[in-house]
Amino acid sequence: MIAIMSYIKSAALEETGYVVLDRYNQELDPKEWLDIEYVDWKSSGDTRFAPLASAQGLIECNGFWNSVPPRTDKDGVWIPSQVEKAPNLVRRAQEPGANVGRCRVIELQPTPYGECLYNLHQDDNNRLNPDGTGWVVRGFFNLTDDKDSFFVLRENRTDPQGETRIALPAGAQLIIDTQRLWHAATHIGTDPRYCLITSWESGPELDAYIEKYNGRNHVESVPVDQDILDAGYAEQARRDAARAAYYAAKGQAAVAQAMSEA
Ligand SMILES: [Fe+2]
């Protein structure tokens, strides 16, 4: 007999891989993200992170699979010194009642559209996640009022067909299967953007939360002039080619080195 297992996933995310929830009234809350402690952590783009929950409850951002013993991105340990400074952010991350893995605030410096396209990536959310349990997805709560910024989602990194651009005003709330969708933020402005990112386990709790806040799996894309889009596509291609050339040159140098040692 063959047992066929699969992950528990949200039906709401099945078609498009994302939902946009009702907007949160961010203005009512204090700016807790300015009080917590940040560490340099290279993600896509020019970023720093302030972890609220981590593998061991320390102020670090490493994947839980690099912890000892290695484990999947669930059962994050809340960091007391950060929780104390950001009770509202913690309350919001815990509101669904779904298992929380990593939970952190990202600080992103201004990022034009072409650079954002170069930054498009998929997250490694489900490494070591046991089959038959809930698929890990991520919540993105925009904290700063980034009126001209938007999240870019694609099924294929280099194909703009079907690209979705989701607006990022203060209080914007998205849940995204970021292991499935290529994603990155275009951030227009002069100040950094702050966003609370939480890894949640899919299941009935998360489904109920999505329903409660009217999760919509289709939204109108933020309109962007065609010339800016075209310039962005060209910039992504240029940066991709430069990266490929860099690694090709490095590879050839390694081959030359190996041959000289042979
Ligand atoms: Fe990501």
Side-chain angles (χ1 to χ4, degrees), residues 21-38:
L21 308 182
D22 290 342
R23 200 166 151 188
Y24 179 77
N25 195 342
Q26 186 64 65
E27 287 75 13
L28 293 182
D29 289 355
K31 293 181 170 145
E32 295 172 344
W33 57 91
L34 298 178
D35 301 331
I36 49 181
E37 184 177 341
Y38 287 80

Side-chain angles (χ1 to χ4, degrees), residues 121 123 138 183:
H121 66 279
D123 291 336
R138 290 190 181 184
H183 60 278

Side-chain angles (χ1 to χ4, degrees), residues 43-44 121-123 138 140 178 183:
S43 177
S44 30
H121 66 279
Q122 293 164 310
D123 291 336
R138 290 190 181 184
F140 296 80
T178 51
H183 60 278

Side-chain angles (χ1 to χ4, degrees), residues 209-228:
Y209 178 76
I210 291 169
E211 197 178 325
K212 179 179 177 189
Y213 291 104
N214 305 305
R216 297 172 303 282
N217 64 358
H218 283 278
V219 295
E220 188 92 357
S221 259
V222 170
V224 175
D225 288 345
Q226 192 60 48
D227 56 338
I228 292 176

